[in-house]
Amino acid sequence: MLSGERKEGGSPRFGKLHLPVGLWINSPRKQLAKLGRRWPSAASVKSSSSDTGSRSSEPLPPPPPHVELRRVGAVKAAGGASGSRAKRISQLFRGSGTGATGSGGAGGPATPGGAQRWASEKKLPELSAGVAPEPPLATRATAPPGVLKIFGAGLASGANYKSVLATARSTARELVAEALERYGLAGSPAGSPGESSCVDAFALCDALGRPAAGDVGSGDWRAEHLRVLGDSERPLLVQELWRARPGWARRFELRGREEARRLEQEAFGAADSDGTGAPSWRPQKNRSRAASGGAALASPGPGSGSGPPAGSGGKERSENLSLRRSVSELSLQGRRRRQQERRQQALSMAPGAADAQIGPADPSDFDQLTQCLIQAPSNRPYFLLLQGYQDAQDFVVYVMTREQHVFGRGGNSSARGGSPAPYVDTFLNAPDILPRHCTVRAGPEPPAMVRPSRGAPVTHNGCLLLREAELHPGDLLGLGEHFLFMYKDPRSGGSGPARPPWLPARPGAAPPGPGWAFSCRLCGRGLQERGEALAAYLDGREPVLRFRPREEEALLGEIVRAAAAGAGDLPPLGPATLLALCVQHSARELELGHLPRLLGRLARLIKEAVWEKIKEIGDRQPENHPEGVPEVPLTPEAVSVELRPLMLWMANTTELLSFVQEKVLEMEKEADQEGLSSDPQLCNDLELCDEAMALLDEVIMCTFQQSVYYLTKTLYSTLPALLDSNPFTAGAELPGPGADLGAMPPGLRPTLGVFQAALELTSQCELHPDLVSQTFGYLFFFSNASLLNSLMERGQGRPFYQWSRAVQIRTNLDLVLDWLQGAGLGDIATEFFRKLSIAVNLLCVPRTSLLKASWSSLRTDHPTLTPAQLHHLLSHYQLGPGRGPPPAWDPPTAERDAVDTGDIFESFSSHPPLILPLGSSRLRLTGPVTDDALHRELRRLRRLLWDLEQQELPANHRHGPPVATPP
């Protein structure tokens, strides 16, 4: 028995006890090392805080004069037959608990300061002697005390958290009481009913969230998930048994009980409604309570001679009994039996387990073995790890909790100017894993899609993956040089391929599709099988054109050269279709940065080809002819032949530009979905694509300009006949709407012949309907301006503005508009010929009616004519010999300046702008190629690529393209 002495009040003083307990409060690790063993029964200890002063700084009673420190062996020797040091200390505390209540010793009720200081000692008798045998988790209760940060969530101003020392036996209720005392919220003395009511008003919460940066106590914290701990749960065991996932952080918070329950219900409701992204808390809540608070709790036996502390015994005992009932309703013996069966099942799965003797083992080994019994999810896709980087950190199953799952290394921030790090679902810590390495999208309907990030080494069934591809259950996905996963989707119900695609083909299996032609040759297939597959690809009708980056320049050059030379009988949009196949192959199969480079090279080749064609036409049709050489006007047939190459390039470039725009928009959309819209490499790629599309725009503008230039040049020599020819020739009948060109008056045939040649040319070249409308709109604008200027010029020199001449012009114009209406161009022609029609209508007004009109009425009836043009027509109108214009035709003073300074001629610079077509491309790259000429050209290009591949091989390894065997 430890020796003690009594002071004046008669209360016991234990000199050999004060120094160990006092040292434990100030320096727990040092004193534990000196004691040589763990403290046996610390249900609740005093705490220290990082932001407020510790209560251990209160003045201690003066130490006794015979305080001494002994080695462990000496202490045991001094104990004699009295038993272990733990038993002696337990008996000592029981003695203090049953001592005289009127004494003034430390810890007695007669000393309020001492009672408040050592209030936690009132719980030690419950955990010292008479403890029943504990379940396996009880071995963790002998762990050294740990420091728990309990965040006040605004309970006290200026205090962010309080640090509390606790052991594995410390319950949540005890830590709440200690934290409230540290925050200064324990308004009643220790052990009083007021303290119990204050503790009941608060609860300890386990919060899970993502801190902004650094420590979770930095302040930038928002709890995304919250769980209320039971009063008898062991927070230190909860923290050890249930660790947060990578990227998440957890902390303990002190909140009001009602507020905590409300937040917990809201968190569960949000998780149930969302269903993605959040870890499951409900099952863990029940498990953690049972593991950390249920079976490890024990109460003193009936013969221990100690009762519950005053003021809290009845309530605490009832809570402990209710917790034991909730955990052990199926009996503790049955629970231990089931645990032993699971342990034996886990051991049976280990190598050599059949010869092993299954007996008592370390519970930590049992926990580790039970973790190996993994059951895959049944309602979500997941990835099965086949090879990892660090076995201690890698998991076996990675479940997709969202429709889009991102693999990556993660990190606090991106390397680009401190921008936020990309969101990552699965963290992989290999050195060759990028911050955002790979993205998998698995929607409700199969198949899933996998897309590697730029520069990320990813393999799909053993082949290098450069672009987005389909991911089927059973496929192998390799990330970097270390990780290898198998994709599984239990929702498919076995609808995936019966045989994994990465297995070698069985003998006698049917050859794969033509698209396999240039795939891996080390997959176990025989030489004859590979030859048949290659022959099927070379002669197949699938719209596929595979090439390697090294063959890109030769392939694009061959397509553009053949289109510029007009070789073969390709369909009008054949070059655009072949070039679009190249773009599609680059967008689907080659690396991410290849498409912008291909588009730039393609646009430059087309521009050079068009420029050469424009120079050739310019050399044959010079603008300035030598002196003495008469200029031969272009006929509609000649201009059609000259403009056919330019019109073909305009049609093909327009469709190709629309196709490229679709691909670039897809690239931007995918970048936005993956959160990479600000990636510098992506921005550089988009700039290169914009430059390529700008070159294609320039090609379309240039070909359009050259086409309308030569067409208007031809029209210029034919338009004057509309003002001079007489449609009422002897014996001639005026043709009706939709008449043939041969039935039209001779004076109108040249002009209509140009319109017909342009219409046939646009139809043969399959020019986009929007460009067809704009082409004829420009031709009609030029015709209207040219005829109106000629009309204004004719009236100045000789008598021209008279009713009989106006009727002839009106008839010719009506015949032209009727013919254009029959050709499907009536609406456009009516719009652009409106001003000429109104001017001719003015001249067709009978003389008597015209003399009665005033300036204001004429301005109202002919609004499109400017004041200068109206005054010019009226002032030169032939009213008869010696008769001048009436005074009613004089413009008012307000419009006199506009009449005097206005121009009577139309400007050719006010033509409508060219607007490129919007919408999807008319190219069809799905389904088999039905056009025989296009199929022949596709076969020729495929064999050209085969020859280029063979040229890289040694001479003794080359062979010609295989020939498919007849069925």
Side-chain angles (χ1 to χ4, degrees), residues 796-853:
Q796 294 180 354
R798 56 187 178 89
F800 192 80
Y801 300 156
Q802 51 187 349
W803 181 83
S804 60
R805 181 60 64 89
V807 170
Q808 295 178 9
I809 299 174
R810 178 73 264 179
T811 302
N812 287 333
L813 186 59
D814 289 341
L815 291 175
V816 171
L817 293 177
D818 290 343
W819 188 90
L820 294 175
Q821 182 71 34
L825 303 171
D827 295 338
I828 305 175
T830 302
E831 179 183 355
F832 283 97
F833 279 106
R834 178 174 291 111
K835 197 165 191 178
L836 177 63
S837 297
I838 290 179
V840 175
N841 290 342
L842 174 63
L843 298 179
C844 290
V845 176
R847 186 186 310 173
T848 57
S849 300
L850 193 59
L851 290 173
K852 297 177 184 179

Side-chain angles (χ1 to χ4, degrees), residues 97-112:
T98 58
T101 59
S103 61
T111 58

